[in-house]
Amino acid sequence: MSDRSHNLLSIRPEIPSAKITDNMSENERFQNLTFRPILKLQNFMFIAVFKNYIVKHKNSFYELSLEKRFEFIENAIQKDIKFRNSLKGIVIGHFTVEEYEIYIKNSSALNKRMMNMVIDRLKDQVQLFEEPVLL
């Protein structure tokens, strides 16, 4: 294992709830062993990037109901290809070379899993996207 791979793996948080079983698919295994720790590690970056996305879209997010905010998050990630690619880069940049080789074999299905997990993570933390109070 290269120094880079070792260093990347050493900084990832452990997620005891991410179980690995013999009968799970390769994609599910990749999700639990790779995506979950990286998403947890990068959580503050996702929050910062999405706050910036809100500002770049003229703060319209703040005028929306909770349900519409959830739709805004989904649409931002599913329909804004540049934004989606930026989020993917935040995750893929933390892959080891070995993980990247697994990823490229089934990138389409894994991208869908990855983006759904990011959407869920942002929705679960929607309270962090309240309009800033001016002093």
Side-chain angles (χ1 to χ4, degrees):
M1 182 183 302
S2 72
D3 284 347
R4 180 183 183 278
S5 293
H6 177 73
N7 291 339
L8 284 171
L9 294 172
S10 72
I11 64 170
R12 288 186 191 165
E14 288 191 32
I15 304 180
S17 62
K19 303 294 182 205
I20 305 301
T21 63
D22 292 338
N23 61 346
M24 67 178 29
S25 70
E26 186 173 337
N27 287 349
E28 191 174 0
R29 181 180 305 272
F30 193 85
Q31 171 182 297
N32 288 340
L33 289 175
T34 304
F35 286 154
R36 288 191 191 286
I38 292 172
L39 294 179
K40 186 171 184 178
L41 174 70
Q42 291 293 85
N43 190 62
F44 291 118
M45 180 61 78
F46 291 126
I47 300 300
V49 167
F50 193 71
K51 283 182 177 180
N52 184 59
Y53 186 88
I54 291 170
V55 170
K56 292 218 182 263
H57 287 83
K58 304 192 180 1
N59 296 326
S60 61
F61 179 85
Y62 299 124
E63 300 161 12
L64 303 174
S65 67
L66 181 60
E67 193 58 41
K68 292 290 185 189
R69 286 180 181 197
F70 287 161
E71 288 177 24
F72 185 98
I73 291 169
E74 286 182 32
N75 287 335
I77 294 173
Q78 292 172 347
K79 296 190 167 109
D80 187 331
I81 302 305
K82 286 172 77 174
F83 183 61
R84 180 183 178 95
N85 286 340
S86 175
L87 295 173
K88 283 194 282 190
I90 290 169
V91 176
I92 293 169
H94 282 267
F95 286 177
T96 64
V97 172
E98 298 81 9
E99 289 168 335
Y100 183 71
E101 289 170 355
I102 295 168
Y103 166 80
I104 58 175
K105 290 178 190 169
N106 200 7
S107 61
S108 182
L110 289 171
N111 283 337
K112 186 172 182 163
R113 280 180 185 261
M114 180 195 323
M115 290 300 103
N116 284 335
M117 292 171 74
V118 172
I119 288 169
D120 290 343
R121 183 168 278 279
L122 292 175
K123 283 180 174 181
D124 288 346
Q125 301 176 90
V126 73
Q127 74 278 6
L128 298 177
F129 305 117
E130 290 302 319
E131 188 167 18
V133 178
L134 300 175
L135 300 175

